[in-house]
Structure formats: C-alpha cells, structure tokens
Amino acid sequence: MAVLPLRGKVVNAGKATLKQVIENAEAQALITAIGAGSGKDFDIANARYGRIIILCDADVDGSHIRCLLLTLIYHQMRPLLEHGYVYAAQPPLFATKHRGQPVYAYDDAQRAALSAEMGIGLDKWKRFKGLGEMNVDELAETTLNRETRMLKRMTMADAQGATRAAELFSVLMGNDVATR
C-alpha cells in the first residue's frame, strides 16, 4: 500500500497533447508510481498495485479532480479501468454524534433521513469542506479502514463520463469567456 499526494493540478489528458501530459508533474508522479508505463507502452503486468484508489474531497472541486484523474487513467493507462483496478473512495460530507458514536452522511438526502431516524436537527451536523477538516480518526474510519470505508469501482463508462465532465469543467472554469 502506498499514498501518493498530488499537490498541483492534473492536466486534462482529454485535451492535452502527449507532451503536455508527460510534462505535467502530477501526471508524471502518478504514472511513475504505478510503474507500468503510459499510452501504447502501458503494460498492466508491471503495475505495482492491484488497486488504485482515488481519494478527493466530497465537494465539486473534488469531483473535478477525480474527473481529471479518471481522464488521465482512461487516456494513458486504460487497462487499469478495463481490468477493474480503479476505485473512488467515498468520503462523507457530514458528521454528527448520536449517543456518543460518530454518524456520517454522504449527501443531503442521507443526512435528512438519518436526522429523522435519530430525532436530531439538521443543525447538529458538521459539514466537511474537505478531507483536511477531518481529524485522523475520522479519515481513517471513513476512507482508509477496509471494514468501514466505501469504495466505488470505476468503469470505462465512468471514465468516459469523466472525460466529458473534465471538458465541461474546463469550459466553465476556463479563461475563454466567449466559450463559457
């Protein structure tokens, strides 16, 4: 097991040239860490890990980063998706305590349902703005512990959707006002 923190923006591999992908520090770090090459030279037999788990914030920015990573994997390391190696960790968006025990909700609907079930108000919940707001125990319990974490296997369809979403994010968040 290894953790690879990415500190900068991952290039949109759906729009970038191969040269831009190779020169992007975060893309290069991921390709190097997996150890199986990239593009037509990718060989899944050389992959260092049997699971690649993408862990991003549970908000829109985290979704954008996940889209960019899936797009990179789809374009440069596609066999990882084809063979079911890629997963997305599902961190909670909300937390509260009920009878001294932590309770987590992954979206607004689940928070509302759990609030009604436990008889507590919606104002009792803490909303995580990102993984950095979680304490070590919360992060370990909700995203790292094999017994309690939630993982979603990413498929080719997810990656294709991520590629479309990454393109949309680029248009909406890009510098070209006319395109927006």
Side-chain angles (χ1 to χ4, degrees):
M1 181 188 297
V3 174
L4 175 66
L6 298 177
R7 305 214 187 279
K9 187 170 181 179
V10 178
V11 66
N12 182 346
K15 287 185 152 188
T17 65
L18 181 58
K19 183 178 189 287
Q20 290 171 319
V21 171
I22 299 300
E23 290 177 353
N24 180 259
E26 287 68 34
Q28 191 57 46
L30 183 59
I31 290 167
T32 300
I34 293 172
S38 63
K40 63 179 178 3
D41 296 327
F42 184 84
D43 183 357
I44 198 164
N46 293 329
R48 292 185 179 119
Y49 307 100
R51 281 190 183 173
I52 309 302
I53 301 173
I54 299 170
L55 175 58
C56 299
D57 292 347
D59 61 9
V60 173
D61 290 333
S63 293
H64 182 211
I65 293 166
R66 184 173 33 261
C67 285
L68 291 172
L69 288 167
L70 282 172
T71 300
L72 173 65
I73 292 168
Y74 176 75
H75 286 282
Q76 295 299 318
M77 299 174 277
R78 189 174 298 189
L80 291 174
L81 287 161
E82 294 169 341
H83 290 86
Y85 281 40
V86 183
Y87 295 81
Q90 306 292 297
L93 195 52
F94 302 100
T96 192
K97 290 219 181 237
H98 182 66
R99 298 183 179 153
Q101 296 298 312
V103 178
Y104 301 100
Y106 294 82
D107 58 33
D108 288 315
Q110 186 180 30
R111 177 180 68 140
L114 288 169
S115 289
E117 181 182 313
M118 296 182 298
I120 61 171
L122 292 175
D123 61 328
K124 301 294 183 189
W125 292 85
K126 170 175 68 172
R127 186 183 192 284
F128 296 117
K129 291 184 183 130
L131 298 171
E133 286 194 357
M134 298 175 124
N135 67 41
V136 172
D137 294 335
E138 289 172 322
L139 186 62
E141 180 181 343
T142 62
T143 60
L144 301 176
N145 184 334
R146 291 177 185 206
E147 301 298 319
T148 56
R149 70 183 179 196
M150 290 179 31
L151 297 179
K152 179 184 179 208
R153 179 175 270 164
M154 298 284 97
T155 65
M156 288 293 291
D158 293 321
Q160 290 163 344
T163 296
R164 288 189 297 280
E167 290 168 3
L168 182 59
F169 272 114
S170 292
V171 169
L172 295 175
M173 310 284 237
N175 294 331
D176 187 356
V177 176
T179 305
R180 239 183 293 156

